Amino acid sequence: VYAWIDEELEKAKIKTPMNLEANDFFKKDTARIIGYINGYKPQAGFKTGIVYTGNVLTREDYPSVVEIFEDGRFECKLPLSYPINSSMWLKDVSIGFYIEPGQTLAVLLDWDEFLLADRYRNRRYVFNDILFIGPLAQVNTEITEAKRRIEPVDARDIYRNGMKKKLEDFIPYIHSMTAKYEQAIGEFIKEKSLQPTTRTVLYYYNIVSKSTYLMDYASEYSYNYKYTERLPLSLYDFFQGMPLKTTHLLLSNEFSTFISRSEYCAPLWQANVLYKPEIKNPATNHDLSLFREH
């Protein structure tokens, strides 16, 4: 298995990590995920997995099949336009990874952990016995360690209970629900040994995640009131603190949800109706001039 992994890594077009601060963030190329499940047998009940990738800016989706061989090896090709922080789904288990265009990442797993994940299906399970190999191995190891150490935001409570709250109650509620996670992420990315890419990925994931909850609330509120009551603009104050000009927002796997909610939020949607469109998104025919201006 290790000999096969070494051979496949050697075939990669790019063998050095990207500098996310440089101006080469957008780069169309194929990336590859390869790996091995120790203890896997075809009788396990699954012979393929899937990775959902795409280009958020052009609204193109590229679901990619993970092919699993009888001996436990697997591989998958991903058409990318920029680096992504995504997940690979194998037997209903989510395995997170970070990868860049042209790179190959090897992921070694153990079948016993799939059994544990199935047993703990009512809560998030992060693989402990996982090994990454390749130029991006250290970044993936660090991101996985952050997931192990930091308790995630209780999204289930937010969507079940928080979305029903009044606006004056929701704002302090969402701040309290995300405060512990924000603090933990902040402390984690201060660790000196971390790769710069790890810090960037975790930092922007946190920003986009919290903003998405606020945008989801605005969408839910408008729907419940049949768009007859306007939310005060103060709900959108967080936009002023967001680094909207950076491409690093695309590193969050929740950015597609965030940009979709933004497109339909009341202030921009109403402005879209009132003012003559100047720039159109060919996929939706929606006006994008406000995003370009502001």
Side-chain angles (χ1 to χ4, degrees), residues 128-179:
N128 290 298
D129 192 6
I130 182 171
L131 177 65
F132 298 100
I133 304 176
L136 297 173
Q138 185 63 26
V139 172
N140 278 276
T141 299
E142 292 171 352
I143 293 174
T144 302
E145 180 61 21
K147 292 179 181 178
R148 287 198 197 102
R149 285 168 47 178
I150 301 172
E151 187 69 24
V153 175
D154 190 350
R156 181 178 298 182
D157 186 272
I158 291 174
Y159 287 108
R160 282 185 177 179
N161 304 313
M163 296 296 168
K164 301 174 184 177
K165 294 181 179 293
K166 295 180 179 180
L167 177 62
E168 59 268 24
D169 299 323
F170 180 77
I171 298 295
Y173 164 81
I174 201 66
H175 288 319
S176 66
M177 289 293 289
T178 57

Side-chain angles (χ1 to χ4, degrees), residues 15-242:
K15 299 181 176 65
T16 56
M18 180 184 291
N19 177 6
L20 294 180
E21 301 304 322
N23 294 322
D24 58 351
F25 186 85
F26 294 103
K27 185 182 297 182
K28 268 198 168 186
D29 208 339
T30 300
R32 293 180 68 217
I33 301 286
I34 63 172
Y36 176 68
I37 305 174
N38 182 40
Y40 170 85
K41 295 180 180 179
Q43 294 80 8
F46 68 107
K47 297 180 180 179
T48 60
I50 194 166
V51 178
Y52 295 100
T53 61
N55 187 329
V56 173
L57 300 177
T58 59
R59 290 191 172 184
E60 295 174 282
D61 296 320
Y62 311 114
S64 302
V65 174
V66 182
E67 184 179 3
I68 305 172
F69 305 108
E70 291 189 359
D71 63 358
R73 292 177 299 127
F74 61 84
E75 62 180 6
C76 177
K77 294 182 180 179
L78 309 174
L80 301 182
S81 299
Y82 46 80
I84 63 168
N85 181 36
S86 187
S87 296
M88 171 173 55
W89 288 88
L90 300 174
K91 198 182 182 298
D92 300 323
V93 177
S94 173
I95 300 160
F97 66 86
Y98 167 82
I99 199 165
E100 299 167 354
Q103 287 272 8
T104 296
L105 175 69
V107 185
L108 274 67
L109 305 166
D110 195 286
W111 174 245
D112 287 341
E113 290 233 75
F114 283 88
L115 300 178
L116 281 174
D118 185 63
R119 186 182 306 172
Y120 298 124
R121 67 186 68 177
N122 292 328
R123 63 177 174 84
R124 184 189 69 153
Y125 183 83
V126 179
F127 275 56
N128 290 298
D129 192 6
I130 182 171
L131 177 65
F132 298 100
I133 304 176
L136 297 173
Q138 185 63 26
V139 172
N140 278 276
T141 299
E142 292 171 352
I143 293 174
T144 302
E145 180 61 21
K147 292 179 181 178
R148 287 198 197 102
R149 285 168 47 178
I150 301 172
E151 187 69 24
V153 175
D154 190 350
R156 181 178 298 182
D157 186 272
I158 291 174
Y159 287 108
R160 282 185 177 179
N161 304 313
M163 296 296 168
K164 301 174 184 177
K165 294 181 179 293
K166 295 180 179 180
L167 177 62
E168 59 268 24
D169 299 323
F170 180 77
I171 298 295
Y173 164 81
I174 201 66
H175 288 319
S176 66
M177 289 293 289
T178 57
K180 186 177 179 180
Y181 181 80
E182 287 181 327
Q183 181 180 356
I185 283 288
E187 293 173 355
F188 187 87
I189 62 179
K190 288 179 182 178
E191 296 184 9
K192 296 180 180 179
S193 61
L194 291 183
Q195 297 290 308
T197 296
T198 303
R199 292 192 177 93
T200 301
V201 170
L202 294 176
Y203 177 77
Y204 285 98
Y205 173 82
N206 178 45
I207 289 178
V208 174
S209 179
K210 184 175 181 179
S211 301
T212 301
Y213 291 134
L214 290 163
M215 297 302 291
D216 276 337
Y217 178 82
S219 178
E220 188 78 10
Y221 184 96
S222 298
Y223 176 79
N224 289 337
Y225 285 95
K226 309 301 180 185
Y227 304 93
T228 58
E229 292 192 22
R230 293 185 182 182
L231 280 164
L233 289 177
S234 59
L235 176 70
Y236 305 99
D237 283 349
F238 69 90
F239 268 116
Q240 299 179 36
M242 286 193 72

